[in-house]
Amino acid sequence: DSGVTQTPKHLITATGQRVTLRCSPRSGDLSVYWYQQSLDQGLQFLIHYYNGEERAKGNILERFSAQQFPDLHSELNLSSLELGDSALYFCASSVGTSGMETQYFGPGTRLLVL
Amino acid sequence: AQRVTQPEKLLSVFKGAPVELKCNYSYSGSPELFWYVQYSRQRLQLLLRHISRESIKGFTADLNKGETSFHLKKPFAQEEDSAMYYCALSQGGSEKLVFGKGTKLTVNP
């Protein structure tokens, strides 16, 4: 599958813990975006990386951080987890940064904080 | 601030009936607008975007700047159209997408 991949599919953890979500973009895509989808807030943009550099930040909490590595995969780190962080976390990728490009989404990581 | 509103959480129609999923946006510049679809157990995927002015799977959407709307339409709904539909906006020069909360379309036989 040459599409966007995300691991793990599911994650169950406890409050106060830290987790790392991983995303591999489509081959050739330099941009990676992270989104959070919750029942009450819908799909919310968190952060965007392009070729290893942070390009835009959305409603990302200070407890959350991300990075994009030289091989272009990205990791989203969530720390001091709270019950409200339970959500579906999507990664998307695109070729560049024009804003008019199609973003290709991964299957998501479902995080449950107990 | 940019905002996308999809007023209907749920929409149910019968097969063969016309369907319109509403999307309104607020943005002062020239937005790029998209419709994304998520079929059951599948990932979110692009359905269409206004700049391409194309029809995908029989769906069309027209950008109405006067009414700040980008409604998605299909003249004859099919059962396989049942899915979650998200309207999204990107401002020119910015990479992030602002999504509406989605409309769940159910096409009944």
Side-chain angles (χ1 to χ4, degrees), chain A residues 1 4 33 35 37 40-41 43 45 48 55-56 90 97-103 105-107, chain B residues 32 34 36 38 43-46 49 51 86 90-101:
Chain A
D1 183 1
V4 179
Y33 311 79
Y35 294 87
Q37 185 180 39
D40 52 343
Q41 296 293 326
L43 259 168
F45 167 75
H48 167 221
R55 288 295 298 257
F90 286 106
T97 64
S98 75
M100 294 185 289
E101 300 167 355
T102 299
Q103 292 187 19
F105 282 76
Chain B
E32 304 296 336
F34 307 80
Y36 278 79
Q38 189 172 27
R43 61 187 69 190
L44 202 63
Q45 57 187 287
L46 179 69
R49 49 185 172 170
I51 57 171
Y86 294 93
S90 168
Q91 66 181 78
S94 170
E95 307 87 350
K96 73 173 187 178
L97 285 173
V98 176
F99 283 89
K101 294 199 172 181

Side-chain angles (χ1 to χ4, degrees), chain A residues 69-89:
Chain A
F69 295 86
D71 67 352
L72 301 175
H73 92 271
S74 177
E75 291 181 356
L76 179 67
N77 300 295
L78 315 176
S79 60
S80 302
L81 284 167
E82 301 175 0
L83 296 177
D85 298 327
S86 296
L88 200 48
Y89 291 85

Side-chain angles (χ1 to χ4, degrees), chain B residues 14 16-20 55 57-60 73-78:
Chain B
F14 285 102
V19 63
E20 180 180 66
S55 172
K57 300 186 178 185
F59 284 97
T60 58
K73 300 177 185 179
K74 185 168 182 177
F76 307 103
Q78 302 299 315

Side-chain angles (χ1 to χ4, degrees), chain A residues 33-53:
Chain A
Y33 311 79
W34 285 98
Y35 294 87
Q36 179 193 57
Q37 185 180 39
S38 59
L39 281 174
D40 52 343
Q41 296 293 326
L43 259 168
Q44 297 234 307
F45 167 75
L46 294 178
I47 198 163
H48 167 221
Y49 276 83
Y50 174 76
N51 203 20
E53 292 190 5

